[in-house]
Amino acid sequence: MGYCQVLGVFAAICKPKKQLSWNWILLKPLPNENTNGFIFAKIFGGFEKIRSSICDLVTISRLLNATLVIPEIQESTRSKQISYKFKSFSYLYDEEQFIASLKNDVNIVRSLPEHLKAARRSNEFPIFKPKNSASPNFYIKEILPNLKKAKVVGLIITEGGCLKSILPPSISEFQRLRCRVAFHALQFRSEIQTLGRQMVERLRAWGQPFLSYHPGLVRDTLAYHGCAELFQDVHTELIQYRRAQMIRQGIISDKLNVDSHLHRENGSCPLIPEEVGLLLRAMGYPSKTIIYLAGSQTFGGQRLLIPLRAMFANLVDRTSLCSKTELSDLVGPETPLPSDIFQLPRPKSESELKEEWNRAGPRPRPLPPPPERLIYPHEKEGWYGWITETDKEPDPSPRDLKMQAHRLLWDALDYIISVEADAFFPGFNNDGSGWPDFSGLVMGQRLYERASSRTYRPDRKTIAALFDITRDNMYHPKHDWTLSVKELLNKSLSEEGLIRQSLLSKPNSFLSHPLPECSCRISSLEITKQTEGKDGRVLYGDEHECPKWMQSAEAVGVQNDDIESAEDDNDVVEQQERNGPDFTTNLTSMIDHDEEWDPND
């Protein structure tokens, strides 16, 4: 029996492309025009924080019977040079789809009424900065009275959400509303979706499955966990600089200098791309495997990816799959910035050198100090080039702000490809920071759309211990080490890995494990055994029965596809049992193995 039958995942009943109605989860009573007031919000942070925050905002608006003003995405509004074609929200998402999909759940408007705009500009309305762990009671007791009195309330969201992940069972309908927002209402604008589908088609055109890998190497997260010593030179200094900032801001209560290697052994630091490459080799992935590198920015630059590229030559990213024209068209027409042209200083003439010598004073005198070494453009890689010239990080330049806005688009493309990939490997998720992470959102969407998809959920603590065992023979590990890696990663694909993912990630981010709230089951299927965690929370099982209309003719084709998928899964299981633990996985068996390297040597 395949995962989709075991878990009863609603979205597809294992058919992600099939869009079905969500009338069965509508909240009652339906919203009306007589709401308690307006909620406007500013969302700070990158792609993953924006996506999680919007889901929370819709839920809160419904909870307070408020009208939601389309939230402002600060990563785009701070950059004044982005395309005039798009507003803040529409730079990334489809506004029309968002409003239409939620019209029966929440009243949504594009802006405040004219008579309230001036008061907002003068900050005459109460503004709150809720935490991502705020409870529904906080909004009922603190926000609602102010909303009824002032008719407008502002929210500033900086932590990737404004409502706790796990809600009480008495308001379970609001969890389903989150599902509706995340998986149906939040659709990327058409240009992003079109280019994303084209990129997937180009990857498929190679004629073999592909794996998506997200390193999760983000400066803020590395600084939060104290992983500076895993890097070298300027990158260590940059991480420590940011960690010191976080300590001053009260985000971190720990000391500045910590043992990064100890944190790595605890699983608090990411897997380095070289380590991921070795894990994939141990799993039997041949060197010709197509690996898509997700993530708009990998801290450490291309140098950190050299070992992975050496192991897997077909390591591609958006720049490999798209032309510059396609990417620029996605960005849209922008105001050009002044070009940063590097120029060498003008050489001094002979007369100027003589005059400088004569002004230098009486002889004898010591030799003058050597001239300062010039900083060339190739030494200023990316936004952190300032560290070669000054000790203080400058405010973001217009070019930096524009790049931050562009990264939202690149992350959206990577999100589409990672969800559609035949396999997904996260380099850093469940980091314990409490912030939503890109990999967690991808894993949640893959679980929702197709629970049987090959999604690795690595245990970094155990992997670090395994690498410590074979540190001196990483590229030629012993056979038992390879078997241990295979066993560990195969467990992460199974029910055991699914339960572990739920226990670790769901308390911080509901969207990383949207089961069982976002699922339902067909009455003809066997009722799934309910699985609970130590706290009594349902991890999966106990799904609601799908409405009758969903089990009628509209869902017949979907059910047939599910049966075929389940049969395929059974075939894989039977083959694994016949061939033993060394059997190559379903994904890699479709690719001819590279004869130059045998993972069991």
Side-chain angles (χ1 to χ4, degrees):
M1 180 176 290
Y3 258 131
C4 290
Q5 286 176 301
V6 172
L7 301 181
V9 175
F10 158 75
I13 313 187
C14 276
K15 185 75 172 178
K17 301 298 183 183
K18 184 74 173 178
Q19 293 293 331
L20 299 174
S21 171
W22 271 65
N23 294 331
W24 69 288
I25 64 163
L26 291 182
L27 304 174
K28 296 180 180 180
L30 296 177
N32 54 63
E33 296 181 358
N34 298 321
T35 62
N36 291 320
F38 295 87
I39 292 179
F40 70 89
K42 294 183 178 182
I43 302 175
F44 291 83
F47 175 87
E48 57 281 348
K49 289 187 176 181
I50 292 169
R51 195 169 183 86
S52 298
S53 299
I54 292 173
C55 296
D56 287 356
L57 277 173
V58 173
T59 306
I60 290 165
S61 299
R62 180 59 178 159
L63 180 69
L64 301 181
N65 188 28
T67 298
L68 175 65
V69 180
I70 291 285
E72 293 182 2
I73 298 174
Q74 297 303 298
E75 289 290 285
S76 59
T77 57
R78 291 171 65 200
S79 177
K80 304 302 181 183
Q81 287 81 19
I82 67 168
S83 177
Y84 58 85
K85 289 177 59 179
F86 311 106
K87 294 181 180 179
S88 166
F89 186 89
S90 62
Y91 189 67
L92 187 59
Y93 292 110
D94 187 337
E95 241 180 46
E96 298 289 342
Q97 166 74 16
F98 182 70
I99 296 174
S101 297
L102 298 171
K103 65 180 180 180
N104 293 325
D105 296 298
V106 180
N107 286 324
I108 302 176
V109 295
R110 288 181 171 81
S111 62
L112 285 170
E114 291 296 329
H115 66 282
L116 296 175
K117 288 183 179 179
R120 177 192 168 181
R121 284 192 290 267
S122 57
N123 293 326
E124 295 179 9
F125 299 123
I127 297 177
F128 298 87
K129 188 177 179 182
K131 296 183 178 180
N132 60 1
S133 58
S135 67
N137 286 336
F138 167 78
Y139 289 96
I140 297 296
K141 295 180 180 179
E142 300 292 333
I143 307 293
L144 185 57
N146 287 279
L147 178 65
K148 289 181 175 179
K149 181 179 179 181
K151 294 303 179 184
V152 181
V153 164
L155 299 179
I156 296 177
I157 305 175
T158 60
E159 297 183 357
C162 51
L163 183 65
K164 64 191 302 184
S165 175
I166 301 175
L167 299 179
S170 59
I171 55 174
S172 59
E173 293 86 359
F174 289 90
Q175 290 289 50
R176 297 198 187 101
L177 179 57
R178 272 174 165 169
C179 305
R180 181 178 173 83
V181 178
F183 304 129
H184 290 263
L186 271 184
Q187 301 290 332
F188 300 119
R189 59 180 166 93
S190 58
E191 296 90 342
I192 297 176
Q193 292 191 54
T194 300
L195 184 56
R197 286 194 294 267
Q198 290 176 354
M199 294 170 69
V200 173
E201 290 172 0
R202 290 166 189 172
L203 288 165
R204 299 274 186 221
W206 290 48
Q208 62 186 48
F210 71 93
L211 177 143
S212 177
Y213 161 55
H214 186 267
L217 298 172
V218 182
R219 185 187 178 203
D220 281 7
T221 309
L222 294 168
Y224 183 90
H225 293 290
C227 303
E229 294 174 350
L230 302 184
F231 296 81
Q232 295 178 354
D233 307 329
V234 66
H235 297 99
T236 296
E237 190 173 344
L238 283 162
I239 293 173
Q240 287 298 84
Y241 185 96
R242 180 64 181 131
R243 184 173 174 84
Q245 282 184 322
M246 288 182 164
I247 292 174
R248 288 195 297 269
Q249 295 168 359
I251 300 174
I252 300 176
S253 57
D254 201 0
K255 56 186 179 181
L256 176 62
N257 296 312
V258 295
D259 188 344
S260 299
H261 297 284
L262 182 60
H263 283 211
R264 172 188 163 275
E265 292 175 359
N266 290 335
S268 299
C269 290
L271 297 172
I272 303 301
E274 179 183 15
E275 296 175 333
V276 173
L278 293 170
L279 292 173
L280 295 178
R281 281 188 15 167
M283 285 295 293
Y285 286 82
S287 62
K288 65 176 72 173
T289 301
I290 303 170
I291 298 179
Y292 181 82
L293 182 67
S296 58
Q297 182 182 10
T298 300
F299 188 80
Q302 292 297 317
R303 181 178 64 176
L304 205 63
L305 298 171
I306 290 175
L308 182 60
R309 290 188 185 277
M311 287 181 272
F312 297 95
N314 293 331
L315 181 65
V316 299
D317 58 15
R318 68 177 184 280
T319 60
S320 311
L321 297 174
C322 303
S323 65
K324 290 184 178 180
T325 302
E326 288 175 322
L327 295 177
S328 62
D329 289 344
L330 185 66
V331 168
E334 293 184 330
T335 304
L337 293 172
S339 57
D340 184 14
I341 301 176
F342 179 79
Q343 295 180 343
L344 289 169
R346 182 182 63 85
K348 296 179 180 179
S349 64
E350 187 176 350
S351 60
E352 289 175 330
L353 291 173
K354 287 182 179 180
E355 183 180 353
E356 190 175 305
W357 176 266
N358 293 331
R359 290 199 310 265
R363 286 81 169 167
R365 58 176 179 268
L367 292 173
E372 292 185 0
R373 188 177 73 82
L374 297 174
I375 304 298
Y376 293 90
H378 68 271
E379 297 177 283
K380 299 174 64 174
E381 184 181 353
W383 51 268
Y384 48 80
W386 58 268
I387 205 165
T388 61
E389 299 175 338
T390 177
D391 293 332
K392 183 178 180 182
E393 184 170 1
D395 294 330
S397 66
R399 187 175 300 277
D400 295 331
L401 293 175
K402 182 181 285 190
M403 289 175 60
Q404 290 175 13
H406 290 177
R407 280 198 283 269
L408 297 179
L409 305 180
W410 313 150
D411 280 335
L413 292 176
D414 293 345
Y415 188 84
I416 293 173
I417 293 176
S418 297
V419 170
E420 294 291 332
D422 297 283
F424 178 71
F425 197 104
F428 201 30
N429 70 304
N430 297 334
D431 58 15
S433 64
W435 304 325
D437 60 83
F438 182 93
S439 292
L441 295 184
V442 170
M443 295 164 78
Q445 180 106 20
R446 288 171 65 86
L447 181 63
Y448 170 78
E449 289 193 354
R450 197 176 188 91
S452 58
S453 61
R454 180 169 292 273
T455 303
Y456 291 97
R457 306 174 184 90
D459 182 347
R460 291 189 303 276
K461 184 176 181 180
T462 306
I463 288 175
L466 284 173
F467 273 115
D468 287 341
I469 293 173
T470 187
R471 183 61 59 184
D472 296 332
N473 300 292
M474 288 176 59
Y475 282 82
H476 301 283
K478 295 182 179 180
H479 182 69
D480 58 348
W481 185 88
T482 301
L483 292 179
S484 298
V485 169
K486 282 187 175 183
E487 181 182 3
L488 176 66
L489 293 181
N490 281 328
K491 281 183 178 179
S492 77
L493 295 169
S494 66
E495 180 181 319
E496 181 178 331
L498 194 66
I499 294 174
R500 179 178 177 276
Q501 169 77 7
S502 173
L503 293 173
L504 289 176
S505 63
K506 192 163 185 174
N508 295 324
S509 175
F510 168 72
L511 298 182
S512 64
H513 190 91
L515 294 182
E517 295 89 343
C518 296
S519 61
C520 73
R521 62 178 175 80
I522 297 176
S523 57
S524 60
L525 292 179
E526 182 181 351
I527 297 178
T528 310
K529 180 182 178 182
Q530 180 174 313
T531 301
E532 298 181 355
K534 295 181 180 179
D535 55 357
R537 177 167 51 86
V538 177
L539 304 182
Y540 69 82
D542 192 31
E543 289 85 5
H544 293 266
E545 185 174 331
C546 299
K548 297 296 182 183
W549 62 264
M550 195 181 297
Q551 304 179 46
S552 62
E554 187 176 6
V556 168
V558 182
Q559 294 180 45
N560 291 337
D561 288 338
D562 183 42
I563 295 172
E564 292 176 3
S565 175
E567 291 175 352
D568 293 340
D569 291 340
N570 288 335
D571 293 341
V572 174
V573 173
E574 291 174 2
Q575 290 176 1
Q576 288 176 336
E577 291 175 351
R578 289 197 300 266
N579 292 276
D582 291 332
F583 176 73
T584 307
T585 61
N586 187 33
L587 173 62
T588 56
S589 65
M590 298 175 66
I591 309 172
D592 294 329
H593 282 277
D594 189 350
E595 296 178 356
E596 297 178 359
W597 184 83
D598 184 347
N600 294 328
D601 281 347

